[in-house]
């Protein structure tokens, strides 16, 4: 799976099999991704074929102040969606002369285990091959998902983000359904619950 995203117009692929992926984005980045009147998020959906939903302002991932961006599609369209979202945020960071924000995913514990690999082999390999720093959060009581944070240069984070999608795409907790339904759940039942920091 490529680590590069190019906007080549409307997506017309025929790949089958969908799954859900969750990114965490701060409130400022959420505004960038949505765009005026929803123009940016609609453009990303058209060009990638990936369906995107952002949680309401008050609904954040437990223990954080970050909103949830839910992506639904095939492995190819979800990967394209993730990269398109990152590019939009990073472009804004560059305009404001700010450092590029890290990439953060919320994945099922089983998906986190696949990213870590036996004895930490997978995550160590990803870090050494790309020069990134990848951190996986500890399990939280009542939360079925763990956070995966990727820091590094823009090209390296782009590559790792695409590879993480490829690693977790077959996780049974993510497969099938739509953003508001099965396959990782909608906003109402993600991670065992939603709410403000510390919940």
């Amino acid at each position: 799976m490529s680590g590069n995203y190019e906007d080549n117009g409307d997506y017309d692929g025929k790949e089958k099999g969908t799954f859900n992926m969750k990114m965490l984005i701060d409130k400022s980045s959420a505004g960038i991704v949505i765009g005026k009147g929803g123009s940016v998020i609609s453009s990303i959906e058209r060009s990638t074929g990936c369906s995107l939903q952002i949680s309401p302002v008050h609904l954040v991932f437990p223990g954080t102040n970050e909103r949830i961006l839910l992506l639904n599609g095939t492995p190819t369209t979800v990967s394209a969606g993730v990269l398109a979202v990152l590019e939009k945020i990073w472009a804004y960071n560059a305009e404001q002369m700010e450092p590029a924000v890290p990439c953060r995913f919320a994945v099922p514990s089983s998906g986190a285990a696949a990213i870590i690999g036996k004895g930490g082999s997978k995550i160590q390999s990803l870090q050494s091959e790309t020069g990134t720093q990848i951190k996986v959060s500890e399990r939280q009581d009542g939360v079925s998902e763990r956070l995966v944070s990727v820091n590094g240069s823009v090209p390296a984070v782009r590559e790792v983000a695409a590879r993480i999608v490829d690693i977790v795409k077959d996780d049974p907790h993510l497969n099938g359904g739509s953003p508001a339904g099965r396959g990782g759940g909608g906003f109402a039942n993600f991670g065992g619950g939603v709410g403000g920091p510390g919940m």
Side-chain angles (χ1 to χ4, degrees):
M1 185 171 296
S2 173
N4 296 310
Y5 164 74
E6 295 182 4
D7 186 346
N8 295 317
D10 291 356
Y11 176 80
D12 60 359
K14 297 180 179 179
E15 184 181 14
K16 295 182 179 180
T18 63
F19 77 109
N20 290 333
M21 192 82 184
K22 292 172 185 170
M23 297 178 70
L24 299 191
I25 55 178
D26 60 36
K27 294 176 182 179
S28 174
S29 296
I32 296 165
V33 173
I34 294 170
K36 187 175 181 179
S39 59
V40 173
I41 197 169
S42 294
S43 174
I44 293 174
E45 288 184 316
R46 287 194 305 270
S47 63
T48 65
C50 179
S51 175
L52 282 71
Q53 289 186 7
I54 296 181
S55 66
V57 175
H58 68 278
L59 199 160
V60 297
F61 192 88
T64 79
N65 289 310
E66 294 173 295
R67 293 168 70 179
I68 309 103
L69 173 60
L70 192 59
L71 302 96
N72 176 263
T74 66
T76 297
T77 63
V78 168
S79 183
V82 166
L83 297 178
V85 166
L86 290 173
E87 297 293 353
K88 291 294 183 184
I89 297 172
W90 289 338
Y92 178 81
N93 293 153
E95 289 176 4
Q96 301 300 311
M97 300 184 70
E98 299 171 346
V101 299
C103 175
R104 281 160 64 82
F105 295 105
V107 302
S109 293
S110 52
I115 292 168
I116 295 169
K118 187 175 182 179
S121 59
K122 175 68 73 173
I123 196 170
Q124 290 173 10
S125 176
L126 282 172
Q127 291 181 119
S128 63
E129 290 173 11
T130 62
T132 55
Q133 186 176 46
I134 307 171
K135 294 183 178 180
V136 179
S137 69
E138 298 295 328
R139 293 182 177 86
Q140 297 184 57
D141 291 340
V143 179
S144 61
E145 292 167 312
R146 299 170 68 181
L147 302 184
V148 179
S149 302
V150 186
N151 283 277
S153 67
V154 166
V157 173
R158 184 187 295 121
E159 174 65 22
V160 172
R163 291 174 69 173
I164 285 175
V165 172
D166 194 51
I167 290 170
V168 304
K169 69 180 187 297
D170 295 322
D171 190 295
H173 298 96
L174 299 175
N175 292 339
S178 62
R182 294 173 50 228
F187 298 129
N189 63 337
F190 85 95
V194 297
M199 286 191 65

